DNA sequence: ATAAAAAATGAGAATAATTCTCATTTATTC
DNA sequence: GAATAAATGAGAATTATTCTCATTTTTTAT
């Protein structure tokens, strides 16, 4: 597992206990967590206001991805590798969120389409996000 | 323009002024609106609590699509045609949200990928959403 | 290693978005 | 058109997030 102190050092921000705890809680999980799940994992070790501040700090140094689940709750995940481009799969039964990688053919076709859209709307497109919604049938630990 | 009363009739819900006003405000726009933009368009003609209630009513009869913009504000749009599958393009300069259609090749490749993901994670995938983020360079009315 | 300066924290107040409550009004049914 | 059912408005309640400020921790410069 990555070293949380080193991550903070690498990004030239000061090394504090709350930041270390938040990063470690996120590192322990392979998949994204809602803010309240994170809060529960941290018990009372980090104040609520500090948690939100730390999350904003991590966003500023670009190692935190933030989005919302279908219930509009805020979800966060650490982004440590530069090449970790991925998408998300949501289970509407248990709420689990799974990181997924799309195949090369898909990403290539998407790139082509993005170029078309850029021309059509005179946009410069910098990022994209794909979300898949469904139900896990048996894999997911929370579902029967 | 579609008739708001007919839309309500078709979906077997009672025809009330607030519902008509909300639907008409949404019909006037081609592109999605944030809840506050909608509130402003409606002036004081619909109470805040009623607006939220009407939006929930429209969701229940499946003619409202709700999502969040990159600032996490709630965005809504009417979905009237069954075949109106589309995605969204967000401008980070002016906040404008544009409906986009992806080409057939893209949707076909995506379907193939979805089947692969369904097998891999033993999921049944029912829906998906693609969001593109960027900057409009000159088309967008709010940007210079 | 230490003192001074800068930055971060905790606790709770403030704010913003959304839902809830309930007395009144409006729509539907017969 | 009267009786019943449903929806509304106003504001209170709730929830998620940000802000304030006195205290503590971290960093910087000696």
């Amino acid at each position: 597992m990555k070293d949380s102190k080193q991550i903070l050092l690498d990004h030239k921000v000061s090394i504090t206990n709350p930041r270390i705890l938040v990063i470690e809680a996120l590192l322990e999980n392979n998949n994204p967590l809602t803010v309240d799940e994170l809060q529960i994992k941290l018990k009372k070790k980090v104040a609520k206001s500090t948690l939100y501040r730390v999350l904003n700090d991590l966003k500023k140094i670009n190692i935190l991805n933030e989005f919302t689940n279908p219930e509009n709750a805020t979800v966060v995940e650490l982004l440590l590798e530069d090449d970790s481009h991925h998408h998300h799969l949501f289970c509407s039964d248990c709420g689990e969120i799974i990181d997924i990688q799309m195949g090369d053919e898909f990403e290539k076709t998407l790139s082509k389409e993005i170029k078309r859209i850029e021309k059509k709307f005179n946009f410069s497109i910098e990022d994209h996000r794909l979300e898949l919604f469904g139900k896990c049938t048996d894999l997911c630990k929370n579902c029967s």
Side-chain angles (χ1 to χ4, degrees), chain A:
Chain A
M1 190 161 93
K2 296 236 167 196
D3 179 23
S4 53
K5 283 181 201 175
Q6 192 57 49
I7 292 171
L8 292 168
L9 258 179
D10 289 348
H11 290 88
K12 304 188 204 336
V13 293
S14 46
I15 294 161
T16 69
N17 227 258
R19 285 175 181 172
I20 290 169
L21 291 170
V22 170
I23 291 178
E24 282 177 354
L26 290 170
L27 281 173
E28 270 175 30
N29 250 65
N30 294 327
N31 287 320
L33 287 176
T34 62
V35 174
D36 11 331
E37 286 166 343
L38 184 54
Q39 224 163 351
I40 290 163
K41 276 197 90 166
L42 291 167
K43 304 269 175 138
K44 303 280 174 184
K45 284 182 280 182
V46 175
K48 189 159 47 83
S49 53
T50 303
L51 172 56
Y52 279 105
R53 242 180 326 217
V54 167
L55 292 177
N56 283 329
D57 297 339
L58 301 183
K59 266 196 277 185
K60 274 207 200 88
I61 60 176
N62 294 312
I63 62 168
L64 192 81
N65 188 20
E66 188 187 272
F67 53 99
T68 54
N69 70 13
E71 286 83 45
N72 285 335
T74 299
V75 175
V76 291
E77 71 181 336
L78 274 189
L79 284 185
L80 294 177
E81 315 299 335
D82 286 345
D83 63 338
S84 64
H85 180 66
H86 66 268
H87 300 285
H88 294 115
L89 175 55
F90 298 86
C91 174
S92 57
D93 276 344
C94 66
E96 175 124 12
I97 304 168
I98 297 170
D99 284 351
I100 53 173
Q101 305 259 154
M102 300 298 269
D104 284 351
E105 190 195 346
F106 171 82
E107 295 288 355
K108 230 167 42 195
T109 308
L110 177 56
S111 291
K112 250 193 289 174
E113 270 302 273
I114 284 180
K115 283 198 196 86
R116 184 181 65 77
I117 299 278
E118 283 184 315
K119 268 189 215 111
K120 174 164 180 187
F121 293 99
N122 209 3
F123 247 73
S124 143
I125 293 174
E126 290 146 4
D127 200 6
H128 66 267
R129 171 180 295 168
L130 174 70
E131 300 176 317
L132 305 181
F133 306 99
K135 291 182 199 312
C136 59
T137 50
D138 68 22
L139 232 194
C140 179
K141 49 192 164 314
N142 304 310
C143 291
S144 65

